[in-house]
Amino acid sequence: MKLSTAVKPISHIKSHASEVISEIAETGNPVIVTVNGEARVIIQDLKEYERDRESMAMLKMLAMGRKDMLEGRHKPLKQAFGELRKKIRLTGDR
């Protein structure tokens, strides 16, 4: 996607809203809206937005996990699963 083709002034959005929305839904490409020549907002397809948010959440979890590893907050796999099995047995007796 070329950003230069995705930039539209607010006046264009106002007068062609349904066309712009149809194009966004069809292509999945966002549109950058300008006000007085300055980029202000992005109009994005909802499914693409949701995918972006899920990707960001996954990246955040990966970064947090990496930080924990670097700071020594981790356990060997066998130990972690052993502790989980023990908790499962204890809660299963109730």
Side-chain angles (χ1 to χ4, degrees):
M1 173 192 70
K2 289 185 177 182
L3 289 179
S4 60
T5 60
V7 177
K8 305 286 183 204
I10 189 77
S11 59
H12 177 80
I13 303 299
K14 287 178 181 179
S15 61
H16 299 91
S18 62
E19 296 167 25
V20 171
I21 290 170
S22 293
E23 183 179 327
I24 292 168
E26 191 176 299
T27 66
N29 295 333
V31 170
I32 299 165
V33 181
T34 62
V35 177
N36 298 324
E38 184 178 323
R40 288 292 178 99
V41 297
I42 295 175
I43 302 173
Q44 185 177 23
D45 179 70
L46 181 59
K47 289 179 184 176
E48 291 296 323
Y49 173 80
E50 289 171 340
R51 279 190 211 121
D52 288 351
R53 297 299 294 185
E54 289 172 5
S55 295
M56 291 300 292
M58 182 62 71
L59 288 171
K60 186 174 182 177
M61 287 189 285
L62 288 170
M64 290 167 57
R66 184 175 187 279
K67 182 180 178 199
D68 284 346
M69 288 290 294
L70 292 172
E71 293 176 359
R73 290 190 304 264
H74 62 282
K75 298 177 186 177
L77 190 62
K78 285 185 178 184
Q79 179 185 349
F81 276 100
E83 290 173 8
L84 284 173
R85 284 187 193 98
K86 184 177 178 181
K87 284 182 182 180
I88 290 170
R89 279 194 298 269
L90 291 174
T91 58
D93 294 338
R94 293 180 187 179

